[in-house]
Amino acid sequence: MPKPRINPVQGDITEQDVDAVVNAANSSLLGGGGVDGAIHRRGGPDILAECRKLRAERFPDGLPAGQAAATTAGRLPARWVIHTVGPVWSRQEDRSGLLASCHRESLRVARELGARTVAFPAISTGVYRWPLKDAARIAVSTLQEEGEGFAELRLVLFGKEAYEAFCAAVL
């Protein structure tokens, strides 16, 4: 089986012209800081409206960590936003399975939508404090294992340090 094309790029995930962008959301699905806030701000009110509908109909207690759900992308160049909630990093508990699940479940949802190109942020590496090199290793290995059939899986990294960590993991 050929490995999927995984491309790390340094940039802004809200500017990516892909079928779907993955949002490192919080469980409320109602917007927040970091990637989540940027996607909601740039994408506009249609994303929030669909997130509220998801909360009312499917996730009344919030989207669980490791799961994924899709909405419109509103005013983003993408067609869809796939929301996933990453785990908070912990020294005391290995939560790497949950971080891998964020990527796996996002790919599952992307397949259901018919997406061929998907952009991922560095899930859990911001306020959830996941170490960059470890997050990159988990993300890249999961995308390599689960990404068959996609034309491109793009890793969109905001800063130089994140970009370098994910580039190293792709090699």
Side-chain angles (χ1 to χ4, degrees):
M1 254 184 278
K3 287 185 178 182
R5 194 171 98 202
I6 300 173
N7 293 328
V9 298
Q10 191 172 348
D12 181 343
I13 198 159
T14 69
E15 296 175 355
Q16 302 304 305
D17 189 6
V18 292
D19 295 330
V21 295
V22 174
N23 178 19
N26 63 55
S27 64
S28 78
L29 294 176
L30 302 178
V35 168
D36 193 21
I39 285 174
H40 276 271
R41 280 189 303 278
R42 175 118 190 253
D46 292 346
I47 297 172
L48 182 58
E50 286 193 25
C51 282
R52 285 188 172 132
K53 186 175 179 184
L54 279 172
R55 282 295 306 270
E57 295 175 1
R58 290 182 50 202
F59 304 105
D61 297 325
L63 183 64
Q67 298 299 306
T71 65
T72 181
R75 296 187 303 247
L76 297 175
R79 293 178 63 193
W80 300 286
V81 174
I82 299 171
H83 306 269
T84 190
V85 179
V88 175
W89 185 76
S90 169
R91 276 189 206 283
Q92 291 76 32
E93 180 184 353
D94 180 8
R95 298 177 181 167
S96 55
L98 277 174
L99 185 55
S101 181
C102 290
H103 296 85
R104 189 171 31 260
E105 287 297 303
S106 294
L107 290 173
R108 179 188 59 77
V109 170
R111 277 192 185 91
E112 290 173 359
L113 294 168
R116 301 268 300 125
T117 55
V118 184
F120 286 82
I123 299 168
S124 286
T125 62
V127 296
Y128 289 0
R129 302 181 322 277
W130 206 285
L132 273 172
K133 286 182 183 177
D134 193 48
R137 177 190 60 79
I138 292 166
V140 169
S141 65
T142 304
L143 295 179
Q144 286 172 338
E145 291 167 15
E146 306 286 336
E148 183 184 354
F150 288 94
E152 181 187 12
L153 300 174
R154 191 177 303 169
L155 295 161
V156 183
L157 298 313
F158 190 70
K160 182 180 178 189
E161 184 182 4
Y163 174 71
E164 289 174 352
F166 278 75
C167 281
V170 170
L171 297 178

